[in-house]
Amino acid sequence: MVSLKLQKRLAASVLKCGKRKIWLDPNEINEISLANSRRNISKLHRDGLIIKKPVVVHSRARVALRNEAKRKGRHTGIGKRRGTANARLPFKVLWMRRIRVLRRLLRKMRDAKKIDKHIYHSLYALSKGNQFKNKRVLLETIHEMKAKRTKEKALAEQAEARKKRARDRISRKAAREQKKAEEAAEEDA
């Protein structure tokens, strides 16, 4: 048996692959053994005596199948978890998602003139202080604050109207008394 070590090395170099990917025709060993240059090797490759083997299949079908199952929530129980809860989905990421949702809502409502800048500022600070766990709670708070503001405004207007009526009443009374006093002074004279 002739050693074809040199031919295999040269073929790997010529065909730009590893030695394990080179196939030498077992029926043409004698002819191949005579080839001792790269040019001869490339000629044998053209003739089909030396072939570059195809890349071995490394299928990802099973991986794709498993990932699809994982998307449905399979294979993710307690026994499959290696990292801490914080490593798997960081608390910071959850916080960022939540605060961005809340701030976006506040901005939108302020721009739409649904809340004034004072309510916006106080709610912004409360959001930063972890006061609202989600958008629904924030919206409820906004509605409560707006209702409170309108109620206070209505009460203030009512109080002002009451005061105005009282002032009018007092001024009318004073005018009547002054008129009476004038009439009495005229009768005396």
Side-chain angles (χ1 to χ4, degrees):
M1 179 77 187
V2 189
S3 170
L4 300 175
K5 210 171 180 182
L6 169 73
Q7 284 76 6
K8 191 162 264 198
R9 179 176 66 76
L10 289 174
S13 177
V14 169
L15 301 180
K16 294 186 173 63
C17 62
K19 284 181 279 195
R20 63 199 290 273
K21 287 280 179 229
I22 297 298
W23 177 83
L24 305 172
D25 192 341
N27 302 323
E28 305 290 343
I29 288 176
N30 294 329
E31 198 176 330
I32 292 171
S33 64
L34 295 173
N36 60 359
S37 69
R38 289 167 195 275
R39 181 169 286 172
N40 291 351
I41 293 289
S42 57
K43 184 179 183 301
L44 291 175
H45 172 59
R46 280 197 299 279
D47 297 344
L49 275 61
I50 296 176
I51 298 173
K52 180 182 179 179
K53 290 184 197 170
V55 176
V56 176
V57 173
H58 182 186
S59 172
R60 286 190 56 81
R62 286 185 300 279
V63 178
L65 207 65
R66 194 172 181 83
N67 286 344
E68 198 177 324
K70 274 193 173 181
R71 273 199 291 280
K72 291 178 182 171
R74 319 287 187 265
H75 318 292
T76 53
I78 290 169
K80 289 287 180 188
R81 299 179 195 170
R82 298 298 294 273
T84 62
N86 193 24
R88 289 165 67 85
L89 181 56
F91 305 150
K92 185 173 182 178
V93 169
L94 292 172
W95 164 258
M96 278 164 27
R97 280 183 195 165
R98 193 172 90 207
I99 202 71
R100 283 174 184 171
V101 165
L102 298 178
R103 285 177 178 172
R104 198 178 305 127
L105 176 73
L106 284 173
R107 234 187 349 265
K108 202 194 294 183
M109 292 192 87
R110 183 190 61 186
D111 294 343
K113 300 281 191 289
K114 287 184 180 172
I115 56 174
D116 62 353
K117 63 181 182 180
H118 305 293
I119 292 180
Y120 170 84
H121 187 72
S122 60
L123 289 176
Y124 189 97
L126 288 174
S127 307
K128 187 178 180 181
N130 200 14
Q131 194 86 98
F132 312 112
K133 71 172 188 175
N134 55 33
K135 199 168 161 181
R136 180 177 54 78
V137 177
L138 177 58
L139 272 170
E140 282 172 12
T141 310
I142 288 171
H143 293 320
E144 282 169 20
M145 283 181 90
K146 283 173 76 175
K148 194 177 169 187
R149 283 278 170 96
T150 51
K151 195 175 179 184
E152 282 174 2
K153 209 173 184 183
L155 286 172
E157 282 173 7
Q158 285 173 9
E160 186 58 43
R162 224 176 280 125
K163 283 178 187 170
K164 190 175 184 295
R165 280 203 300 274
R167 278 198 299 270
D168 291 349
R169 202 180 306 123
I170 290 167
S171 64
R172 280 201 304 273
K173 194 174 181 184
R176 269 203 309 271
E177 285 173 2
Q178 194 179 354
K179 201 173 183 185
K180 275 183 185 174
E182 285 174 6
E183 285 174 4
E186 280 177 14
E187 283 175 8
D188 291 343

